[in-house]
Amino acid sequence: GVVEGLVYVQNLTARPFTDRDEVVLARFADHAAVAIRNARLYRETSEFAERLRALDEVNRLVSSSLNPDEVLQNIAAATARFFDAPWVSMWVVDEARQRVVRSFVVGARDLADSLPQELALGEGTVGWVAAHREPVYWTDATDPRKCP
């Protein structure tokens, strides 16, 4: 089986542990392991349920308005909450000027203010995504590429 923890019992009496004591201690340890596994499963289930509630909220927000700017702001706000992100920015492609323009920021503006307001198509990760119309799945925070 999988070790979930350790039960340490120090015998301070002159009487040594008996086989019966060992059986009782093993049962206590088994119960503790089940309690630990149940607590872990409960936490994982609660986190999953919270993510489902957040996704449901995004669906509700998307269908709650016909105003595209309001829908995008709602999606950005829900995304920030869902991923516990300090800020989320929305960018819009200006085809005529071949630029990507930051439309708005949800969250800590001071963090986002260090980013440029607009980029050329192909410039940085945001510009690359806009130019290639492909997502970038960035899961490595140590990746040396710059992401404006």
Side-chain angles (χ1 to χ4, degrees), residues 5-6 8 17 19 23 28 32 40 42 51 57 62 86 101-102 107 109 116-117 146:
L6 171 81
Y8 174 81
F17 285 124
D19 290 342
V23 168
F28 281 150
R40 185 177 298 123
Y42 179 79
R51 292 177 84 78
E57 179 185 354
V62 167
V101 179
R102 186 159 35 122
R109 287 210 56 95
Q117 283 296 115
K146 184 179 179 188

Side-chain angles (χ1 to χ4, degrees), residues 41-51 53:
L41 287 171
Y42 179 79
R43 185 192 75 240
E44 291 169 359
T45 302
S46 296
E47 289 170 358
F48 183 71
E50 183 57 36
R51 292 177 84 78
R53 279 191 288 279

Side-chain angles (χ1 to χ4, degrees), residues 6 8 69 71 83 86 97-98 117:
L6 171 81
Y8 174 81
D69 289 336
V71 170
F83 289 103
R97 295 176 46 231
Q98 294 292 290
Q117 283 296 115

Side-chain angles (χ1 to χ4, degrees), residues 15-38:
R15 179 184 71 81
F17 285 124
T18 65
D19 290 342
R20 186 175 179 328
D21 293 334
E22 187 178 329
V23 168
V24 170
L25 287 172
R27 291 243 166 85
F28 281 150
D30 289 343
H31 286 294
V34 168
I36 290 169
R37 278 193 299 272
N38 286 345

